[in-house]
């Protein structure tokens, strides 16, 4: 039982690793909006699988659902940051990206509160708690079609300048947005001359050695601060 419980907890992280590893390929090929929509479907399926595990008397369904949730979360983190940052006006971009951390923390707090025995953590209601992760995904699945694709993606990867202008007007209103379009074109020109490094090449590159050390130390200390034990 202890072994199964440990796998149930840790398999989320394995799914997250796989999901985040494939996020760059998916966003370049299909675009951020489509990826987010598909990701919401994956989360809803995962929530449904976990929610039905008690009726089916199958702990394997919890394992599968947790793994699918991990993949969805791994895809969502970079996708959400990129999409929110790219559809925000330049003066609000930093603020919009910083809201992600706030809502991550808020979501964890709501989950921990909902998991109390007095609420959804009881013997009869825990399947609803497991399935509750599908609710935010359902909200985004319903509302996201009303938003346009990311303007930088349309211009940089699809070469659709008219589609980019239309998306910018829909997001930021009518006005003169040529400066934003020029910034995207400059970024596109910069990317052409920039080599995309693999993980192994990044570790070997001396120019990024100290930045890499800092990221590893910060990430490790977050994991070792006791939050997982709590």
């Amino acid at each position: 039982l202890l072994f199964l419980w440990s796998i149930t907890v840790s398999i989320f992280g394995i799914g997250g690793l796989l999901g985040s590893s494939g996020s760059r390929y998916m966003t370049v090929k299909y675009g951020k909006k489509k990826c987010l929509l598909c990701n919401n479907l994956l989360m809803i399926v995962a929530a449904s699988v976990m929610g039905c595990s008690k009726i089916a008397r199958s702990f394997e369904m919890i394992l599968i659902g947790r793994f699918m949730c991990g993949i969805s979360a791994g895809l969502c983190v970079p996708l959400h940051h990129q999409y929110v940052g790219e559809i925000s006006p330049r003066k609000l971009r930093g603020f919009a990206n910083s809201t992600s951390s706030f809502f991550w923390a808020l979501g964890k707090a709501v989950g921990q509160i909902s998991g109390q025995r007095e609420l959804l953590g009881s013997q009869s209601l825990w399947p609803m708690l497991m399935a509750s992760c599908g609710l935010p995904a359902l909200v985004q699945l319903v509302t996201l079609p009303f938003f346009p694709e990311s303007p930088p993606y349309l211009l940089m990867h699809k070469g659709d300048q008219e589609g980019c202008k239309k998306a910018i007007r829909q997001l930021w209103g009518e006005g003169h947005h040529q400066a934003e379009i020029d910034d995207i074109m400059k970024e596109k020109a910069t990317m052409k001359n920039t080599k995309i490094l693999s993980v192994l090449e990044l570790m070997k590159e001396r120019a990024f050695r100290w930045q890499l050390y800092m990221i590893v130390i910060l990430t490790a200390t977050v994991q070792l601060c006791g939050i997982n034990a709590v």
Side-chain angles (χ1 to χ4, degrees), residues 37-99:
L37 287 169
C38 294
N39 192 51
N40 291 325
L41 288 173
L42 179 62
M43 181 62 83
I44 292 170
V45 171
S48 302
V49 169
M50 291 190 294
C52 295
S53 60
K54 185 178 181 181
I55 298 174
R57 296 179 178 275
S58 171
F59 71 88
E60 293 89 352
M61 292 176 68
I62 300 178
L63 279 168
I64 294 169
R66 286 275 297 172
F67 182 65
M68 293 170 67
C69 276
I71 294 175
S72 178
L75 282 168
C76 177
V77 173
L79 275 174
H80 182 269
H81 280 281
Q82 291 173 30
Y83 186 70
V84 169
E86 290 176 3
I87 67 173
S88 303
R90 194 191 318 175
K91 60 182 180 181
L92 296 175
R93 196 162 294 164
F95 170 76
N97 272 325
S98 66
T99 58

Side-chain angles (χ1 to χ4, degrees), residues 179-192:
E180 285 80 2
I181 295 174
D182 291 341
D183 285 342
I184 297 172
M185 293 301 295
K186 289 177 184 177
E187 185 179 348
K188 183 178 181 180
T190 303
M191 286 182 65
K192 283 184 178 179

